[in-house]
Amino acid sequence: MHLGIDSFVAAVTDPSTGRRIGPAERMEHLLEEIALADEVGLYSFGIGEHHRSEYYDSAPPVILAAAAARTSRIRLGSAVTVLSAADPVRVFQQFATLDLISKGRIDLVVGRGSFTEAFPLFGLSLADYDSLFTEKLDLLLRIRESEHVTWSGRHRPPLTGQGVYPRAVQDPLPVWVGVGGTPESFVRAGLLGLPLMVAIIGGQPRQFAPLVDLYRRAGAQAGHPPEQLKVGLHVFGFVAESTQAAADTIYPGWHEMFTKVSRERGFAPPTRAQFDATSGPDGAFFTGDPDTVAAKLVRVSHQLGGVDRIALQMTNPRLAHADLLRGIELLGTEVVPRVAGAA
């Protein structure tokens, strides 16, 4: 089981000084974080895509290109690319170019995203939420399969044999499908034989076992070999010297993030009790000291029938840069060996 980090590149207010970190400084910090993740042996680093004021990740390929030039081993990717609001031709070109820059270290994770700002921003209708993703995923896979594509659909002008360049180092370029909790999404990924990235942001991870099993059964029935049907998890998490320190460090920013989202969506504001419960042994958050986090990672992998990779999303608007660097260091130097030893 490989371990990595995902980031939404949140705007950060330094918790000790109350100073808002500017966008340029935040990007500098992000690249330091990715370089450290590479140095301490983490497997992957993913960049999300949002079009909101509290995040700086609206152009993931640009960030990933800078990261690729500063790293040598770590795999880099999207977490996720909002394919519904993008042109698959440009997405393939961007990520194939990234694959060339990184010498074959890119993963493209595509999904529909958990926010909807991209749809009106790019002149798209939410009424087409499902059909946009289905059609664009089909075109992306056709482009990946062949450099000359003949294709037509509802949401984009047809292709009549044009070539799409450049081609990636990896053949094929890895395309993962990012999913939430919709059974149809799991089945679609299985039928296509694409690796699955499951976003778990609440509840209990073991509750996803029937959906992961559904994915694997759909893939097997479609004739795809088991080794092709990889499963990854995107989860919230943080590692510190002690479990109490981990919780106390990330709670203020977690509360700020989820209070805003809850207000937008008409939910009750989150509480510390909810946070602590979700951070417990059976909850969705992977927070704690290295022993606690490693044990939970191994346990959840077993509950889901084996997981290929898990990425901890450490974005937090109240998390000091130094604390995040320490969390990355502990994940790579303390948690990874424990997980490897348990396997």
Side-chain angles (χ1 to χ4, degrees), residues 5-313:
I5 293 172
D6 286 342
S7 176
F8 294 167
V9 200
V12 174
T13 299
D14 187 283
S16 61
T17 65
R19 181 176 71 90
R20 178 85 162 193
I21 306 300
E25 185 179 0
R26 180 67 184 93
M27 285 294 179
E28 181 182 355
H29 287 173
L30 173 67
L31 293 174
E32 290 178 18
E33 294 154 15
I34 299 173
L36 178 61
D38 185 44
E39 180 183 325
V40 300
L42 288 172
Y43 184 75
S44 63
F45 204 110
I47 300 295
E49 179 188 341
H50 299 84
H51 303 272
R52 299 168 61 90
S53 61
E54 66 265 37
Y55 299 116
Y56 300 138
D57 61 353
S58 64
V62 179
I63 298 172
L64 293 169
R70 297 185 184 209
T71 55
S72 59
R73 297 176 299 174
I74 195 167
R75 294 193 66 81
L76 301 166
S78 54
V80 299
T81 293
V82 184
L83 186 62
S84 304
D87 182 350
V89 173
R90 290 300 284 155
V91 168
F92 183 87
Q93 290 175 327
Q94 290 164 348
F95 280 83
T97 302
L98 282 168
D99 208 45
L100 297 176
I101 295 170
S102 69
K103 298 181 176 61
R105 293 186 284 125
I106 293 297
D107 291 301
L108 173 54
V109 185
V110 298
R112 292 178 285 190
S114 59
F115 294 98
T116 60
E117 286 82 4
F119 288 83
L121 183 63
F122 296 109
L124 301 168
S125 172
L126 278 172
D128 297 323
Y129 185 80
D130 292 317
S131 63
L132 278 165
F133 182 75
T134 301
E135 180 177 295
K136 292 186 176 187
L137 179 59
D138 174 64
L139 177 54
L140 178 66
L141 296 178
R142 295 279 293 277
I143 294 168
R144 184 179 73 154
E145 181 182 326
S146 175
E147 64 185 68
H148 293 279
V149 178
T150 299
W151 176 94
S152 63
R154 285 181 51 209
H155 301 292
R156 187 199 187 282
L159 293 174
T160 56
Q162 296 94 329
V164 180
Y165 307 106
R167 309 305 294 182
V169 173
Q170 300 175 91
D171 187 16
L173 178 72
V175 174
W176 295 62
V177 177
V179 300
T182 307
E184 292 80 7
S185 298
F186 285 79
V187 170
R188 174 169 50 210
L191 293 176
L192 292 171
L194 296 175
L196 186 76
M197 185 62 67
V198 186
I200 301 179
I201 60 174
Q204 298 182 343
R206 64 187 178 191
Q207 294 173 326
F208 284 80
L211 292 171
V212 172
D213 183 59
L214 185 64
Y215 159 73
R216 291 182 169 130
R217 285 191 283 113
Q221 290 171 5
H224 301 297
E227 62 271 17
Q228 187 175 325
L229 302 171
K230 297 178 180 179
V231 175
L233 305 181
H234 163 95
V235 300
F236 282 101
F238 186 68
V239 189
E241 309 292 346
S242 71
T243 295
Q244 188 65 49
D248 291 344
T249 299
I250 68 166
Y251 174 73
W254 175 87
H255 184 266
E256 179 178 313
M257 283 193 301
F258 281 87
T259 295
K260 183 171 184 177
V261 172
S262 297
R263 188 181 302 119
E264 291 176 356
R265 300 183 180 182
F267 301 150
T271 65
R272 179 63 190 250
Q274 288 174 320
F275 173 83
D276 289 339
T278 309
S279 300
D282 297 318
F285 297 168
F286 291 69
T287 61
D289 61 69
D291 284 329
T292 298
V293 173
K296 189 169 186 176
L297 289 165
V298 172
R299 182 169 63 253
V300 168
S301 178
H302 289 161
Q303 290 171 344
L304 299 183
V307 171
D308 180 74
R309 64 175 72 175
I310 300 180
L312 273 63
Q313 204 284 93

